[in-house]
Amino acid sequence: MAQQSERHLAPRRVILAGLVGTSLEWYDFFLYGSAAALVFGKLFFPSFESMTGTLLAFATYAVGFVARPLGGIVFGHFGDRVGRRGVLVVTLVLMGGATFAIGLLPTYATWGAAAPILLVALRFMQGLGLGGEWGGAVVMTMEHGGAERRGLNASWPQVGVPAGNLLAAGVLWLLNSVLTDSAFLSWGWRLPFLLSGVLVFVGLWIRFAVAESPRFAEVEGASATARMPLIEVLTKHPRGLLVAMAARVGTDVAFYVFTLYVLTYVTGTVKLPRDYALSAVLIGSAVQLALIPLFGALSDRIGRRPVYAAGAIGAAIWAFAFFPLLDTGNRGAIVLAVVVALIAHAAMYGPQAAFVAEQFSTRLRYSGASMGYQIAGILGGALAPIIAVKLVASTGTATSVSIYVLAALLLTGVGLAFARDDRPAQPESGASPAATRVAA
């Protein structure tokens, strides 16, 4: 009876560990992006005019995306070779340590050119940690449950994205509300980064309590672990890798336009206070947090692609209503723009984790899912804010950004069309359940 109860609790512990860990890591990652939009241009690139300073700040932000595929390759290699659990501990420490160090970093006024150089180095470390975190957290939650619940289980680490965004935006919104502009610019911006050091200990305490993935244990027990996961992913799963990348790009572009570039657009183009955009992202993230697991569960019933495609179509249409609503300068309209955008994104993001992971076999799943997801992040999230800034500056209209989002989502549609059958895997007739799980 005790062993049966433990088996029922294990997936819940893994889900909790994945949710808390990814929430903290995305808090760190989004915190940097928000700070890049709001203060880093002034603090680390003060010798440049405002637009150039913002672009340079976003460029340092993009470094994290460049590092993410490398983190996915390195940590995916060890995750597929020696196990998922220990790797996830390392990624959490790396990410949290880098974020805490940013909170202590002197600015350009104190250290000159060394300050932005160190900022880029710490951002690179953040990217390495996050690159290894996502794939491991998704694989762990997916492999601790049955095939019929893969969409729901794998969606919980995805909830960490709006949860982290919610936490980062909430902390920044609170500080923005209680501090003057000069105090926030002088020292207030450091507090959310320093808070990460405390939060990491909470994440580690939860993460140490979970067991290794039972699917990986079966692969290891059958002496079937991959010797060179990266090479095998490229040779055995090239289609899965391309599908994962294509499906991910549009989702990423839409998300970072809707949640990050909106901060720059509302404050720089519409000329409204920071809290208009921050509060809208805060509300939208809260709504998205509740919807992601629901869309993940729905994908278990009707398939990943129908849910994913509905979200992509909704986001593409809404991209053309998004900026006109922001241009009204009305707080309610701005909240509506962000909330509806993030509902459409949730429909894509809920089934996305299981969709990407199911393109690869168990023995290569950590590496394959991480590579497909993180490489697409460079083409999507890393460039989206920079491209959006340049498009508005060169065309004078945000309609160009809406067209950019549409084009990226069309690529997502191509990826969905070429994906493998996403129905829950069932044991083949005559095949043992253990053998099927190793191959699945």
Side-chain angles (χ1 to χ4, degrees):
M1 182 67 70
Q3 288 181 342
Q4 185 178 16
S5 176
E6 184 70 19
R7 282 196 299 271
H8 285 299
L9 285 173
R12 297 177 186 175
R13 289 177 180 171
V14 174
I15 287 171
L16 177 62
L19 173 59
V20 172
T22 52
S23 297
L24 296 181
E25 297 227 15
W26 282 106
Y27 164 79
D28 293 344
F29 206 74
F30 284 131
L31 184 61
Y32 188 103
S34 299
L38 298 173
V39 299
F40 279 177
K42 300 174 184 177
L43 294 175
F44 292 93
F45 305 98
S47 59
F48 296 91
E49 54 90 18
S50 178
M51 177 63 71
T52 304
T54 299
L55 282 171
L56 288 171
F58 275 141
T60 66
Y61 158 81
V63 167
F65 287 87
V66 175
R68 280 166 60 176
L70 180 59
I73 292 171
V74 172
F75 292 114
H77 173 87
F78 290 105
D80 284 330
R81 287 282 295 151
V82 301
R84 325 310 199 188
R85 178 177 175 271
V87 171
L88 287 173
V89 170
V90 175
T91 60
L92 186 60
V93 172
L94 181 63
M95 186 72 162
T99 304
F100 183 80
I102 291 174
L104 300 175
L105 188 64
T107 63
Y108 186 92
T110 304
W111 277 16
I117 290 173
L118 287 173
L119 182 67
V120 170
L122 291 171
R123 178 60 173 174
F124 189 83
M125 290 175 61
Q126 278 191 323
L128 286 177
L130 190 61
E133 167 69 24
W134 181 86
V138 165
V139 167
M140 278 285 279
T141 54
M142 208 174 96
E143 292 180 346
H144 270 83
E148 75 283 356
R149 294 174 61 88
R150 281 179 174 178
L152 175 60
N153 287 352
S155 72
W156 286 108
Q158 302 289 78
V159 175
V161 175
N165 202 11
L166 186 65
L167 184 57
V171 171
L172 287 171
W173 177 82
L174 177 63
L175 292 174
N176 186 66
S177 300
V178 301
L179 297 177
T180 64
D181 286 348
S182 60
F184 182 79
L185 197 63
S186 174
W187 57 268
W189 68 271
R190 298 182 181 277
L191 297 181
F193 288 90
L194 298 176
L195 177 63
S196 177
V198 178
L199 297 176
V200 164
F201 285 102
V202 177
L204 288 175
W205 176 67
I206 296 174
R207 191 153 279 184
F208 273 121
V210 303
E212 181 57 83
S213 159
R215 301 294 182 266
F216 175 80
E218 290 169 358
V219 171
E220 189 175 42
S223 299
T225 54
R227 291 181 58 83
M228 296 296 294
L230 171 61
I231 303 301
E232 291 195 43
V233 168
L234 294 174
T235 57
K236 295 184 177 181
H237 293 289
R239 175 178 171 176
L241 191 60
L242 291 173
V243 163
M245 291 169 58
R248 163 88 169 132
V249 166
T251 313
D252 225 25
V253 168
F255 181 76
Y256 285 98
V257 167
F258 294 152
T259 62
L260 185 57
Y261 176 67
V262 67
L263 301 178
T264 298
Y265 188 82
V266 168
T267 57
T269 303
V270 188
K271 305 297 183 184
L272 292 173
R274 284 191 298 262
D275 70 291
Y276 273 61
L278 285 172
S279 59
V281 172
L282 198 68
I283 295 169
S285 295
V287 173
Q288 193 182 37
L289 187 150
L291 290 179
I292 285 176
L294 295 181
F295 284 121
L298 182 62
S299 77
D300 284 325
R301 296 178 63 86
I302 67 174
R304 319 284 180 231
R305 281 181 289 191
V307 181
Y308 208 137
I313 293 170
I317 294 172
W318 191 250
F320 290 89
F322 185 73
F323 290 103
L325 286 170
L326 300 183
D327 288 335
T328 66
N330 179 273
R331 186 186 291 269
I334 293 172
V335 170
L336 176 65
V338 175
V339 168
V340 175
L342 291 184
I343 290 173
H345 182 266
M348 295 185 283
Y349 211 60
Q352 185 183 77
F355 172 84
V356 170
E358 285 170 344
Q359 305 304 311
F360 307 95
S361 59
T362 300
R363 62 194 298 271
L364 300 172
R365 187 168 286 149
Y366 199 145
S367 296
S370 296
M371 288 171 59
Y373 189 89
Q374 306 302 350
I375 292 173
I378 298 178
L379 304 174
L383 298 178
I386 298 172
I387 292 175
V389 168
K390 294 297 290 183
L391 283 173
V392 172
S394 60
T395 66
T397 173
T399 302
S400 57
V401 180
S402 300
I403 295 172
Y404 166 50
V405 172
L406 171 62
L409 287 168
L410 287 175
L411 184 58
T412 288
V414 172
L416 294 176
F418 283 91
R420 62 183 286 188
D421 187 357
D422 62 358
R423 289 175 296 178
Q426 299 296 330
E428 297 179 6
S429 178
S432 71
T436 302
R437 286 194 295 267
V438 170

